[in-house]
Amino acid sequence: MDSLLDALQEGRLLEIPDDYDKEDALRFLAHILEAVPSLPPDTDVAGLILAKEGASKTALGKGWACPDARVPFEEDLICVVGWSPKGIDYGSPDGKPVKVIAMYLVPENQRSNYLREVSLLAKALEIYPEIERLNAADSLNDIRDHLLDLISTTKGTVGPDSRARMIRLQGRAAAVEPAPYDLANLIVEPITILVGDGLKPVVLGHDQALVELLEGFPGLAGELTGHSAFNTGGWRIVKRKEASFTGERLLIDCLALRTSGGK
């Protein structure tokens, strides 16, 4: 299960906010994939994920789901993993809330590798003796440890390179407590934006350059009200939730994503 190992090694293990429902969680992880630098611009991963989910359910049972987006170009198979401490009502076949979402971006040249990986994962979930402890984990570090242990149950079918990387990861797991958005080379900035009829948008955030970029962005209010995400100045702005106030004003909670080398 190389792509799942890559996600752990490269920091693509994230905590899903407690107030997210199924669609919120899928959009959140899809937007993380959309920020991958090698992805062609304007690839609508979120739209592909939600369309696939509407056509066929992706819950595996035992607290897991594996949604995927098939894309018409050649690239590496990429996985991002989301962990929900509360669990998400996902419509699973066993009725259990989903705690772990392993989302895959599947290019044309990787479809057979994706099917093999998901098959191995489903097999591992059936034989993993600590599945209840995994579902009861209360931190990202615990989840990471359990995921590595889960992968080790299929060590007879993964290659030697994967097993060696897994051993190195296990040795490092106890030493590092990942931050909720600890993504390799990915910068994540929370921002809040106030928009309204006749009101110049007000952007609140810690990155002054980002605040100035957004406050100077023409049509910011229209982008925020008309789309769930948009790109500007090397950032991908992802809308999380909004609240309405008098005077037709909206307070919009967003995440801004870019790679550390992005311009």
Side-chain angles (χ1 to χ4, degrees):
M1 291 184 282
D2 288 346
S3 297
L4 187 56
L5 271 171
D6 287 341
L8 299 177
Q9 184 179 45
E10 296 169 10
R12 291 193 299 272
L13 170 62
L14 302 98
E15 183 173 338
I16 298 171
D18 284 344
D19 60 345
Y20 275 19
D21 61 15
K22 175 182 175 180
E23 182 172 333
D24 292 333
L26 292 177
R27 286 189 181 278
F28 173 63
L29 295 175
H31 288 315
I32 297 298
L33 287 175
E34 288 171 351
V36 171
S38 60
L39 197 67
D42 301 321
T43 303
D44 184 12
V45 178
L48 293 170
I49 288 288
L50 293 174
K52 178 74 177 292
E53 190 66 31
S56 59
K57 305 306 179 186
T58 57
L60 298 180
K62 297 185 180 294
W64 278 67
C66 285
D68 67 280
R70 309 293 178 94
V71 288
F73 50 80
E74 295 191 357
E75 248 304 339
D76 292 330
L77 182 64
I78 301 175
C79 176
V80 61
V81 183
W83 168 61
S84 171
K86 278 180 56 178
I88 296 170
D89 182 3
Y90 205 97
S92 302
D94 57 7
K96 293 184 177 181
V98 163
K99 293 289 192 77
V100 180
I101 301 176
M103 180 179 288
Y104 288 85
L105 185 72
V106 188
E108 286 183 342
N109 61 320
Q110 296 291 337
R111 294 190 179 186
S112 60
N113 289 335
Y114 163 72
L115 293 174
R116 178 177 179 271
E117 176 146 338
V118 173
S119 175
L120 288 172
L121 178 57
K123 183 187 301 182
L125 290 174
E126 287 297 325
I127 65 176
Y128 184 51
E130 303 289 346
I131 193 70
E132 295 304 324
R133 288 184 61 191
L134 186 155
N135 289 331
D138 59 4
S139 72
L140 278 179
N141 205 48
D142 284 345
I143 283 292
R144 188 171 181 267
D145 287 344
H146 280 296
L147 291 179
L148 289 167
D149 190 43
L150 172 70
I151 294 169
S152 75
T153 65
T154 61
K155 63 178 180 286
T157 53
V158 299
D161 290 344
S162 294
R163 291 200 298 274
R165 285 195 296 121
M166 183 178 62
I167 291 168
R168 289 197 299 271
L169 283 168
Q170 286 173 323
R172 294 188 335 206
V176 179
E177 177 74 27
Y181 301 110
D182 183 22
L183 297 172
N185 301 317
L186 189 66
I187 297 170
V188 182
E189 288 286 342
I191 51 174
T192 302
I193 305 174
L194 177 66
V195 299
D197 189 24
L199 175 70
K200 181 181 178 181
V202 177
V203 181
L204 303 175
H206 298 290
D207 186 313
Q208 186 62 35
L210 173 61
V211 169
E212 292 174 358
L213 171 70
L214 292 176
E215 289 188 335
F217 179 64
L220 176 62
E223 288 285 357
L224 287 169
T225 55
H227 304 91
S228 64
F230 67 94
N231 298 323
T232 181
W235 291 90
R236 183 163 186 82
I237 311 302
V238 178
K239 184 167 64 175
R240 297 178 60 195
K241 57 185 177 181
E242 61 184 49
S244 300
F245 294 89
T246 58
E248 297 185 349
R249 295 183 177 185
L250 292 175
L251 192 65
I252 304 173
D253 180 25
C254 301
L255 290 177
L257 313 171
R258 75 172 174 85
T259 58
S260 58
K263 302 293 185 182

